[in-house]
Amino acid sequence: MNAGITGVGRYLPENVVTNLDLEKKMDTSDEWIRSRTGIEERRIANDDMDTSHLAYRAAAEAIKNAGISAEELDLILVATVTPDQPFPTVSCMLQEQLGAKKAAAMDLSAACAGFMYGMVTAKQFIEAGTYKYVLIVGVEKLSKITDWNDRNTAVLFGDGAGAVVMGPVSDGKGVLSFELGSDGTGGKYLYQDDYIVMNGREVFKFAVRQMGESSINVLEKAGLSKEDVDFLIPHQANIRIMESARQRLELPIEKMSKTVHKYGNTSAASIPISLFEELEAGKIKDGDVVVMVGFGGGLTWGAIAMRWGK
Ligand code: UT7
């Protein structure tokens, strides 16, 4: 049995904060942010909208798009580092709000690689035949752990949610291979201490190396080569990091998803948000080989090669 994606959803708060807005608040410039990161604007949720609210909207859309009812879900996994509170988890809050009566629920924490960890966890249950439908949500309200006085980090992040339903798909479709990894020795480069603290240069070096390597590794594991890739969905942290992965795969620019200019770095949400938008734009078609790859605090990383379709 193969596990694949059978439905997608996403939600972004309406409030847009542009680089020009940030220029007014701190010692930065639109030119610096654009040229160093590719970010032009980001969405910031209002105070009355917490992580679970963002998650619910994306989840409900993914369930509808999968053509199932919430009662059919066996498991809810929420990848986030910004839950409403430590417990009850966002996944349990969703279980109630969605009416997913039979679903088990847990949050998992692997920072920006969290969505990759969630998909791989779901795949194990589905391919073992234990569970049929798993909802995976990548969601962050990073604005609540952003130090708005620290220009090194404040310009980078945004809020948002992306969700998928995974379930059994036909032979040859779905997840073909994956890689997950972690390196706790790099924990000191990106962590939360009230607010996000980051050594940007160290994270950058790690990310450039890891994004390319993991992408190549999942292709090899799937018995594929660079030429087979139809679409790359990298974690949307910085256009320069994304470009390095694209170049490693020797892909033309139109085969890489880019949403970082609109939404900034939404951590665990960035890959499913981008997937949703590429599908909506008709850029990913049945049978396409799609590589998703992410990295984040921990340090953590994860990549998946999949063949699109049910
Ligand atoms: O999901 C994972 C999350 N983290 C990441 O993906 C971060 C990875 N790292 C990066 O994306 C980049 O390292 C940054 C975008 C964070 C920084 O870019 P950089 O090219 O590595 O710049 P830098 O850290 O080397 O800083 C260059 C200069 C510094 O000034 P000095 O010391 O050279 O005088 C910074 O103080 O840019 C300054 N700077 C800024 N200037 C204007 C740092 N932030 C800003 C800012 N506006 N917002």
Side-chain angles (χ1 to χ4, degrees):
M1 191 161 354
N2 298 339
I5 292 176
T6 60
V8 295
R10 67 106 162 73
Y11 180 76
L12 289 145
E14 280 165 23
N15 181 31
V16 176
V17 175
T18 65
N19 292 348
L20 297 174
D21 294 330
L22 293 180
E23 267 187 14
K24 291 175 202 146
K25 283 190 186 171
M26 63 188 80
D27 181 17
T28 189
S29 68
D30 176 49
E31 201 285 318
W32 191 96
I33 302 170
R34 268 176 207 259
S35 61
R36 300 286 179 127
T37 72
I39 299 167
E40 294 166 21
E41 56 188 47
R42 72 286 291 140
R43 302 296 178 93
I44 302 294
N46 293 331
D47 289 345
D48 59 357
M49 183 169 278
D50 210 340
T51 302
S52 63
H53 303 108
L54 302 170
Y56 174 79
R57 286 168 171 79
E61 187 172 17
I63 293 166
K64 191 169 165 218
N65 183 246
I68 63 165
S69 73
E71 285 91 6
E72 291 177 84
L73 290 174
D74 296 298
L75 176 64
I76 299 173
L77 297 171
V78 174
T80 187
V81 294
T82 50
D84 297 36
Q85 67 274 313
F87 65 91
T89 56
V90 176
S91 52
C92 281
M93 297 167 82
L94 281 188
Q95 190 266 346
E96 183 199 7
Q97 290 163 13
L98 294 166
K101 294 199 184 76
K102 73 168 178 185
M106 66 172 168
D107 287 8
L108 61 85
S109 181
C112 305
F115 187 75
M116 295 289 89
Y117 272 72
M119 273 191 67
V120 171
T121 305
K123 168 188 147 68
Q124 309 305 321
F125 283 113
I126 294 162
E127 293 187 357
T130 325
Y131 289 149
K132 189 169 182 194
Y133 291 120
V134 183
L135 171 70
I136 307 108
V137 185
V139 56
E140 303 291 1
K141 188 179 177 186
L142 291 167
S143 57
K144 66 182 176 184
I145 59 163
T146 298
D147 179 354
W148 292 100
N149 296 313
D150 175 15
R151 69 174 184 174
N152 290 298
T153 54
V155 302
L156 303 176
F157 300 106
D159 302 335
V164 301
V165 172
M166 285 180 71
V169 293
S170 52
D171 260 6
K173 301 270 176 73
V175 177
L176 304 172
S177 63
F178 72 87
E179 171 175 287
L180 296 179
S182 63
D183 175 10
T185 65
K188 56 186 175 287
Y189 299 137
L190 179 53
Y191 59 93
Q192 186 190 346
D193 176 19
D194 289 338
Y195 298 114
I196 300 167
V197 182
M198 185 175 74
N199 180 329
R201 281 181 207 180
E202 287 300 332
V203 177
F204 190 93
K205 279 192 279 180
F206 153 72
V208 164
R209 189 182 68 248
Q210 202 56 55
M211 295 278 271
E213 266 176 37
S214 295
S215 303
I216 298 286
N217 289 346
V218 289
L219 287 174
E220 277 175 7
K221 285 186 189 177
L224 297 169
S225 60
K226 293 184 216 173
E227 295 72 40
D228 297 313
V229 179
D230 295 298
F231 219 82
L232 171 68
I233 304 183
H235 169 46
Q236 309 278 314
N238 182 323
I239 191 69
R240 289 150 59 209
I241 298 170
M242 293 157 55
E243 275 296 309
S244 73
R246 182 180 73 78
Q247 282 158 15
R248 186 82 186 269
L249 293 180
E250 297 171 31
L251 275 183
I253 200 151
E254 64 276 9
K255 289 192 172 190
M256 180 179 78
S257 180
K258 190 183 94 154
T259 57
V260 69
H261 58 298
K262 296 188 286 186
Y263 308 134
N265 180 350
T266 56
S267 186
S270 90
I271 292 177
I273 289 172
S274 296
L275 173 67
F276 181 98
E277 298 217 345
E278 301 307 345
L279 285 164
E280 197 177 41
K283 291 202 194 146
I284 298 174
K285 298 182 189 64
D286 203 55
D288 277 358
V289 170
V290 178
V291 172
M292 304 183 217
V293 58
F295 68 92
L299 300 166
T300 54
W301 61 90
I304 286 175
M306 64 184 300
R307 191 173 293 282
W308 191 256
K310 299 185 191 176

